[in-house]
Amino acid sequence: AQSVSQHNHHVILSEAASLELGCNYSYGGTVNLFWYVQYPGQHLQLLLKYFSGDPLVKGIKGFEAEFIKSKFSFNLRKPSVQWSDTAEYFCAVNPINAGNMLTFGGGTRLMVKP
Amino acid sequence: DVKVTQSSRYLVKRTGEKVFLECVQDMDHENMFWYRQDPGLGLRLIYFSYDVKMKEKGDIPEGYSVSREKKERFSLILESASTNQTSMYLCASSSLGTGSDNYGYTFGSGTRLTVV
């Protein structure tokens, strides 16, 4: 069975620090990739997505992610975090032969200290 | 603004009760999903539906059932609630689009269920 691994369960950063959250998946075929964010008390929202083309994807709020096919990875990055980025981040994978099914990682809880 | 609405934000139920969690979407989406969210475990799929009256088991269907009588509504049923079903329950919907039409899921705000 396919799986999605987020290696960092909790990350604590100071404002202006750079962020990189890891995401690896086990599926060997073609995939669509997503990052979702859940701010405290709010519902999950789509941060960015990759389908094809340029492996460096830019999303909302200054986030970006790079798809490295050879490493089965889709890491999320932001050059300079803000206190308002405090949230839980979920990576998700959709194999293209699985319809609209998403498999989620376990989530990474980010806390940014002001 | 598209929406997935879950009827209750917080619920407290007793062990053995039958519990209904309701989800309604206004986007005419074909697919609907129920997940539970637990710390460190991420989102785990309970059941999903691709069409009216159609349901498929997800990864953790035991102790749950679902109902989809209308396209816009997808109900999760706990036949006999137990304390290990205390969790955050998330409903989501998506269209059948693939490739760049696949915008992923739209989530509801969640229902935090406590079984005592």
Side-chain angles (χ1 to χ4, degrees):
Chain A
Q2 58 180 298
S3 67
V4 181
S5 298
Q6 293 181 239
H7 310 295
N8 311 105
H9 297 294
H10 290 91
V11 174
I12 302 173
L13 296 173
S14 298
E15 277 197 311
S18 65
L19 170 72
E20 181 160 2
L21 301 182
C23 173
N24 288 89
Y25 62 94
S26 63
Y27 185 72
T30 304
V31 295
N32 297 321
L33 298 157
F34 304 81
W35 275 98
Y36 283 85
V37 60
Q38 187 175 31
Y39 297 103
Q42 297 187 26
H43 61 275
L44 276 89
Q45 304 170 42
L46 183 64
L47 200 55
L48 50 78
K49 59 187 185 293
Y50 170 81
F51 294 108
S52 62
D54 189 345
L56 185 62
V57 179
K58 295 192 184 298
I60 60 172
K61 303 187 180 185
F63 285 91
E64 64 179 31
E66 184 175 12
F67 172 47
I68 302 179
K69 190 174 181 180
S70 60
K71 295 185 178 180
F72 299 91
S73 70
F74 190 55
N75 293 354
L76 181 70
R77 300 196 293 249
K78 186 170 183 178
S80 176
V81 294
Q82 300 172 310
W83 176 77
S84 58
D85 294 324
T86 294
E88 190 160 14
Y89 294 81
F90 293 92
C91 180
V93 174
N94 162 229
I96 62 166
N97 64 356
N100 264 245
M101 294 303 302
L102 292 182
T103 299
F104 287 86
T108 297
R109 196 178 292 270
L110 171 67
M111 185 172 78
V112 180
K113 298 184 293 184
Chain B
D1 192 20
V2 295
K3 278 188 178 177
V4 175
T5 303
Q6 294 183 231
S7 54
S8 303
R9 192 62 195 269
Y10 298 95
L11 275 179
V12 180
K13 296 292 182 181
R14 294 193 180 277
T15 301
E17 277 194 75
K18 190 169 186 176
V19 182
F20 293 85
L21 303 183
E22 305 289 345
C23 175
V24 177
Q25 51 98 0
D26 65 359
M27 296 165 284
D28 200 35
H29 281 170
E30 294 83 3
N31 307 323
M32 296 188 76
F33 306 85
W34 275 106
Y35 287 87
R36 62 178 283 176
Q37 181 182 8
D38 300 288
L41 297 177
L43 279 71
R44 293 180 293 167
L45 182 64
I46 305 171
Y47 267 97
F48 62 97
S49 170
Y50 283 143
D51 202 351
V52 175
K53 297 191 184 294
M54 179 277 185
K55 59 186 179 184
E56 293 287 344
K57 293 180 180 179
D59 300 319
I60 52 164
E62 296 77 19
Y64 303 95
S65 63
V66 290
S67 172
R68 194 166 181 200
E69 297 296 318
K70 294 184 179 181
K71 189 176 185 179
E72 67 271 18
R73 186 180 296 271
F74 192 37
S75 303
L76 179 69
I77 303 155
L78 285 67
E79 297 291 342
S80 177
S82 63
T83 54
N84 63 11
Q85 292 179 308
T86 292
S87 186
M88 171 70 87
Y89 290 88
L90 297 177
C91 177
S93 72
S94 73
S95 67
L96 280 175
T98 58
S100 60
D101 292 334
N102 184 347
Y103 296 106
Y105 294 0
T106 301
F107 284 90
S109 297
T111 297
R112 187 167 293 282
L113 172 67
T114 302
V115 182
V116 298

